[in-house]
């Protein structure tokens, strides 16, 4: 299959409407989209990504009003979050409408919905005139793509179209919040901080990630975010006795004696999040044997960043 590269959101939308797979930019990471109501097309998302069928997809809408096309009803906490955070890097899990094929939600009776805060994505989604099911546009298990070039690395020839734009401004995936019962709970830390969510919904449960998160969000146990290079979370940059070529990303600058071949020193946690997945891919391309990633405080975006670092480290151990 030839992948069409385009800057034209209307051309990309025409392809999606005819049942094709279209990758598109968002402020979190690039997505791999299909018409959420087209079962065959959604099935091809799983094949293209080699994604396990038990890992549900997030449905993308162009307007908060479109949420009711995919959700049976919108509980009060979800209403609050949608009003405050749409468009934005937040996915809310809601009771699923009948019309949404079960392949989209991996058989769950709930559906995750998000409206991206990205002009080109919104123009594209509006022109699609249907909700768009879209996981991240990487091969399953690999780091999420934050540039169109990274999408090409993983999916060139496996998807019909790629709507090109610049780097994703956040660089980390959306926060996922389960709003299906009376006490909403965090399912995945992400680009909207927990502190912000607690301001909006003080009753939000933060613990479900460790407890019921596994049951509510089945895909969470799969390997994630992993480059083809070993990842180690370190307190600070340091040298080792071995001669293995290593890369480093973090906030503290390494001394030259640490001997890193590739380094990226970030000024803030935001910049660290923005650069992480891109750095993973650069380190792979440079052929290093190991990536050291500095630990950060689990505060603000730091919580999501630590989640990705720990998953990448355990998936490459
Ligand atoms: P990705 O788009 O690749 O970042 O993956 C989407 C993630 O969103 C999944 O792995 C789940 O953790 C979560 N998710 C999507 N739909 C649901 C749902 N209906 N219930 C709970 N979690 C979901
Ligand atoms: Mg993903």
């Amino acid at each position: 299959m030839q992948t069409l590269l385009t800057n034209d959101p209307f051309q990309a939308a025409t392809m999606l409407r005819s049942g094709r797979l279209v990758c598109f930019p968002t402020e979190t990471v690039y997505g791999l989209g299909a018409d959420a109501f087209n079962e065959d097309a959604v099935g091809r998302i799983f094949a293209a990504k080699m994604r396990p069928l038990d890992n549900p997809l997030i449905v993308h809408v162009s307007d908060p009003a479109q949420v009711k096309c995919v959700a049976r009803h919108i509980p009060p906490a979800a209403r609050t979050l949608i009003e405050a955070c749409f468009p934005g890097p937040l996915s809310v899990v809601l009771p699923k409408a009948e019309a949404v094929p079960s392949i989209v939600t991996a058989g769950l009776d709930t559906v995750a919905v998000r409206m991206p805060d990205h002009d080109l994505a919104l123009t594209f989604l509006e022109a699609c005139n249907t909700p768009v099911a879209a996981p991240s546009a990487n091969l399953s298990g690999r780091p999420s793509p934050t540039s169109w070039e990274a999408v090409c690395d993983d999916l060139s020839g496996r998807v019909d179209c790629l709507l090109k734009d610049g780097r994703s401004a956040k660089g980390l995936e959306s926060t996922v919040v389960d709003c299906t019962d009376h006490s909403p709970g965090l399912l995945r830390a992400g680009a909207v901080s927990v502190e912000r969510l607690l301001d909006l919904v003080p009753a939000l449960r933060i613990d479900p990630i460790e407890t019921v998160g596994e049951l509510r969000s089945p895909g969470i146990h799969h390997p994630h975010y992993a480059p083809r290079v070993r990842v180690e979370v370190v307190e600070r940059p340091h040298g080792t006795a071995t001669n293995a070529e290593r890369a480093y990303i973090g906030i503290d600058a390494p001394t030259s004696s640490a001997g890193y071949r590739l380094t990226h020193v970030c000024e803030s946690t935001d910049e660290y999040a923005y650069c992480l997945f891109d750095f993973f891919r650069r380190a792979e391309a440079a052929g290093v044997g190991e990536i050291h990633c500095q630990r950060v405080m689990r505060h603000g975006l730091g919580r999501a960043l630590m989640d990705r670092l720990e998953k990448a480290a355990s998936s490459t151990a």
Side-chain angles (χ1 to χ4, degrees):
M1 169 195 302
Q2 180 97 13
T3 301
L4 173 79
L5 301 186
T6 180
N7 296 305
D8 179 356
F10 301 101
Q11 184 183 25
T14 302
M15 293 194 72
L16 185 128
R17 279 202 310 270
S18 66
R20 308 287 181 82
L21 299 186
V22 177
C23 297
F24 62 100
T26 82
E27 83 281 28
T28 57
V29 302
Y30 275 67
L32 161 50
D35 179 350
F37 293 127
N38 182 332
E39 215 171 322
D40 288 346
V42 173
R44 276 183 275 115
I45 290 181
F46 287 90
K49 272 186 67 103
M50 300 195 280
R51 183 179 177 102
L53 282 163
D54 67 356
N55 195 354
L57 309 180
I58 294 170
V59 174
H60 292 67
V61 295
S62 60
D63 190 289
Q66 210 177 21
V67 175
K68 62 182 185 311
C69 304
V70 295
R72 205 162 58 239
H73 69 102
I74 305 176
R79 236 170 246 292
T80 303
L81 291 174
I82 289 169
E83 257 169 43
C85 300
F86 277 29
L90 178 75
S91 301
V92 292
V93 175
L94 301 167
K96 178 179 98 63
E98 275 300 306
V100 177
S102 70
I103 188 168
V104 171
T105 63
L108 299 172
D109 61 1
T110 61
V111 62
V113 190
R114 175 168 115 79
M115 176 181 173
D117 185 14
H118 188 288
D119 288 345
L120 188 66
L122 290 175
T123 304
F124 162 70
L125 289 169
E126 199 178 338
C128 288
N129 198 28
T130 179
V132 172
S136 51
N138 50 280
L139 288 173
S140 187
R142 302 258 307 133
S144 299
T146 56
S147 66
W148 66 264
E149 292 92 337
V151 177
C152 281
D153 283 348
D154 276 19
L155 296 178
S156 187
R158 303 181 68 88
V159 296
D160 299 290
C161 177
L162 164 55
L163 178 59
K164 281 170 34 178
D165 198 42
R167 289 266 300 271
S168 298
K170 299 285 182 197
L172 285 188
E173 300 81 354
S174 62
T175 306
V176 182
V177 175
D178 178 9
C179 295
T180 52
D181 63 22
H182 292 301
S183 56
L186 180 72
L187 293 177
R188 176 174 77 182
V192 174
S193 72
V194 164
E195 292 80 3
R196 164 111 174 98
L197 292 176
L198 284 170
D199 276 348
L200 295 164
V201 180
L204 183 80
R205 287 169 300 127
I206 307 302
D207 57 324
I209 281 191
E210 285 81 28
T211 53
V212 299
E214 180 81 2
L215 294 174
R216 293 280 173 104
S217 204
I220 280 174
H221 65 271
H222 291 299
H224 260 98
Y225 318 120
R228 298 189 179 99
V229 177
R230 211 173 87 78
V231 171
E232 191 180 331
V233 180
V234 297
E235 294 305 323
R236 53 190 63 81
H238 61 82
T240 57
T242 69
N243 284 329
E245 298 231 82
R246 293 165 306 127
Y248 167 80
I249 184 167
I251 305 281
D252 292 338
T255 59
S256 59
S257 65
Y260 290 109
R261 170 133 151 247
L262 186 68
T263 59
H264 188 99
V265 178
C266 308
E267 276 181 4
S268 62
T269 311
D270 284 18
E271 188 196 335
Y272 196 166
Y274 173 73
C275 294
L276 179 71
F277 289 138
D278 186 63
F279 187 76
F280 279 177
R281 287 174 185 266
R282 277 173 49 211
E284 268 181 358
V288 300
E290 190 170 64
I291 306 171
H292 282 181
C293 301
Q294 187 173 24
R295 184 183 300 285
V296 296
M297 299 271 282
R298 279 176 216 270
H299 186 266
L301 212 52
R303 180 188 284 264
L305 190 52
M306 281 310 298
D307 168 71
R308 306 309 186 265
L309 292 179
E310 284 170 352
K311 291 215 170 87
S314 69
S315 302
T316 60

